[in-house]
Amino acid sequence: KPVEPPKPVAPKPVEPPKPVAPKPVEPPKPVAPKPVEPPKPATPKPVEPPAPPVQVSSEAAKGGAELRCRPGMRLVTTAKFPTGAVKRGTIKGLEAVALARSGGAYCIDSHEFPGRGRAPRTSVTFNAAEGLCKGQGKRLCSDKEWLRACGGSYPYGRSFNPAKCNTEDADGEERSIAVGGKFKGCKSAVGAYDMSGNVAEWTADQTVRGGDFTSADEDAACRAGGRRAASSSRGSIGFRCCSDFK
């Protein structure tokens, strides 16, 4: 049989794509700017006025100003003075005088109250000691001033020496109270005697320092002692005085 050719297949019509309607774009909402607070003005720190200069009298200026500790007192310096300005309890030169008057130096009794060659006054309360110093135009030494005048571990050096001061002796025996200055070797670098042993001493900070005639080793050191009640009154506690330069 004859083969019939295939019937042509008519192509299906292709529909064009439907146009997509674009979505309307909303404009961005305007953002209101945050109000900027002006910077707070800084409060200026109060400027302390400089300390007024130390006034030196014209009489002192004429002769190369000089300040001297009272008789029976020793000079203690707490500031660096010009070379040659400090000699034998005297401060010379206008700069040195200014430093001394502003607290760079002070005077301390060379012996326990009432002085050299006399038995120290004991059994005094803190207030009584303070009053006796004021009666001489002086004051009790502060704890810091007292320790500075005493020196390091002991007035005479770093190690305890029972032969130097009126403390417990080499055999461990107690001594008794001696007159001021009897123990010549018991002298600090500034020239103050008996700051170790003999009698412990009141300071303006209501401490007692230095040990007494019964003390040995650490108990006889400059820092030995501590705070006491103002009413304390013992036969082994005395005092010495200090003064400022006027």
Side-chain angles (χ1 to χ4, degrees):
K1 288 182 180 180
V3 177
E4 292 182 359
K7 293 180 179 181
V9 178
K12 291 182 179 181
V14 178
E15 293 182 1
K18 295 180 180 179
V20 179
K23 293 182 180 180
V25 179
E26 295 181 0
K29 294 179 180 180
V31 179
K34 292 182 179 180
V36 179
E37 295 182 0
K40 295 180 180 179
T43 305
K45 292 183 178 180
V47 179
E48 294 184 2
V54 177
Q55 299 297 321
V56 178
S57 67
S58 57
E59 291 79 8
K62 289 176 184 176
E66 178 180 295
L67 290 176
R68 184 183 295 276
C69 288
R70 300 180 187 187
M73 302 191 82
R74 292 292 180 267
L75 172 70
V76 185
T77 59
T78 59
K80 194 172 182 180
F81 289 93
T83 304
V86 179
K87 186 178 181 182
R88 294 183 182 179
T90 301
I91 300 180
K92 296 182 180 180
L94 296 182
E95 183 181 350
V97 171
L99 284 170
R101 286 181 173 166
S102 62
Y106 61 95
C107 301
I108 188 169
D109 284 344
S110 56
H111 296 84
E112 293 160 331
F113 185 92
R116 180 182 178 183
R118 302 176 67 182
R121 176 76 67 88
T122 60
S123 300
V124 289
T125 63
F126 171 78
N127 291 332
E130 196 172 44
L132 287 165
C133 284
K134 286 182 178 178
Q136 293 190 334
K138 303 176 186 178
R139 56 178 174 77
L140 280 177
C141 310
S142 71
D143 196 59
K144 185 176 180 180
E145 288 172 335
W146 196 98
L147 290 170
R148 185 178 184 91
C150 188
S153 300
Y154 302 91
Y156 47 80
R158 294 183 178 180
S159 302
F160 175 68
N161 184 339
K164 289 287 187 178
C165 295
N166 187 22
T167 58
E168 189 178 277
D169 65 20
D171 296 324
E173 298 293 330
E174 296 180 3
R175 291 189 172 105
S176 57
I177 294 177
V179 297
K182 179 178 179 180
F183 285 74
K184 304 299 182 185
C186 193
K187 182 180 178 182
S188 72
V190 303
Y193 290 83
D194 302 319
M195 298 196 83
S196 170
N198 211 28
V199 294
E201 300 177 24
W202 280 113
T203 76
D205 295 284
Q206 212 175 300
T207 59
V208 295
R209 294 293 182 191
D212 57 44
F213 58 92
T214 68
S215 304
D217 301 318
E218 291 90 351
D219 293 333
C222 291
R223 289 190 173 274
R227 193 168 178 82
R228 295 286 189 278
S231 59
S232 294
S233 172
R234 298 177 60 183
S236 58
I237 298 179
F239 65 99
R240 75 178 69 215
C241 308
C242 283
S243 70
D244 300 318
F245 284 105
K246 301 295 183 184

